[in-house]
Amino acid sequence: MIGELYADSLTGAETDIEYEDGRRRPLHATRWLEPIDGDEVMLSRCSGPTLDVGSGPGRLTVALARRGVVALGIDVTPHAVRLTRLAGGMALCRDVFGPVPGAGRWTTALLADGNIGIGGDPPALLRRMRELVRPGGEVIAELAPPGAPTRAERVRLRRGTVTGPWFRWADVSVSDVSRLAHDTGFTVTTCEEASGRWFACLRRTRRA
């Protein structure tokens, strides 16, 4: 049901993210179909093979392919993977915590659009990212702005009276990313804001 509601939202169906405490906010998934101001911060750092985690309809994967950068998108929603392929990008329907091609050899991995929240456990996700990028490789993560709370919550998708199952999602503030990176085998090399979005580049260190 999560995949069906998300797929519908990509066609413009009004879909909300509902929090366990009753809060709701619009998903606005159609914004991921086209380039978004600030994307260049991520794209400009991708000079080698790049893994786009939670790639959705693939705007970043496709943009990299057009620049001649080897890029693979992975997403758990088949419809999103199809959209990426139709747009000219390479994509697979995969869970980041499952088997991923090229594990340990990716130069760069992207966690755009807040995807550092996948699974609701950012330390576990970053430890997994450390397994996927090569030594000295980078993870570029889009984060919540300074001062925003870092937290994990249960959420679900809702379209009218139709709801999906609850799942865990997290938000990570740029204020907290240095500690998180240090604890998971990365070091933060840059933090910057562009078009109201915040990004951090995390480089894989030698230590585990």
Side-chain angles (χ1 to χ4, degrees):
M1 180 58 72
I2 292 175
E4 292 176 9
L5 289 171
Y6 176 56
D8 289 346
S9 71
L10 289 171
T11 69
E14 293 186 5
T15 305
D16 289 337
I17 300 173
E18 182 177 20
Y19 295 81
E20 199 169 24
D21 64 5
R23 287 175 294 132
R24 295 188 197 177
R25 65 179 176 87
L27 180 57
H28 293 319
T30 54
R31 71 188 186 275
W32 297 318
L33 294 168
E34 301 290 341
I36 300 175
D37 290 345
D39 282 353
E40 185 61 28
V41 171
M42 296 178 286
L43 297 172
S44 64
R45 296 195 67 98
C46 301
S47 57
T50 298
L51 181 68
D52 185 5
V53 176
S55 52
R59 76 179 192 281
L60 298 174
T61 304
V62 172
L64 289 170
R66 290 173 177 168
R67 297 179 182 208
V69 177
V70 174
L72 174 68
I74 59 171
D75 200 280
V76 296
T77 305
H79 180 61
V81 169
R82 286 194 295 271
L83 290 176
T84 304
R85 293 173 177 173
L86 287 171
M90 292 192 299
L92 294 173
C93 193
R94 298 289 173 89
D95 183 334
V96 66
F97 292 103
V100 174
R105 300 194 299 274
W106 294 100
T107 301
T108 308
L110 303 179
L111 291 172
D113 306 316
N115 281 339
I116 195 168
I118 289 172
D121 188 344
L125 179 59
L126 284 182
R127 285 191 290 269
R128 175 56 174 155
M129 301 306 291
R130 197 175 190 281
E131 297 173 346
L132 295 175
V133 298
R134 64 171 178 78
E138 296 181 333
V139 173
I140 304 169
E142 184 172 351
L143 305 166
T150 293
R151 59 190 177 190
E153 301 178 271
R154 290 215 311 163
V155 301
R156 65 182 177 183
L157 299 185
R158 172 184 286 274
R159 188 182 69 245
T161 60
V162 178
T163 59
W166 293 103
F167 61 95
R168 291 191 64 78
W169 192 265
D171 292 308
V172 175
S173 170
V174 69
S175 304
D176 299 321
V177 71
S178 292
R179 174 186 52 78
L180 176 61
H182 178 270
D183 292 345
T184 53
F186 289 91
T187 185
V188 176
T189 58
T190 62
C191 277
E192 58 185 299
E193 181 270 340
S195 301
R197 301 164 67 191
W198 283 89
F199 306 92
C201 181
L202 286 60
R203 180 167 296 158
R204 177 181 160 179
T205 58
R206 289 183 179 274
R207 68 171 183 83

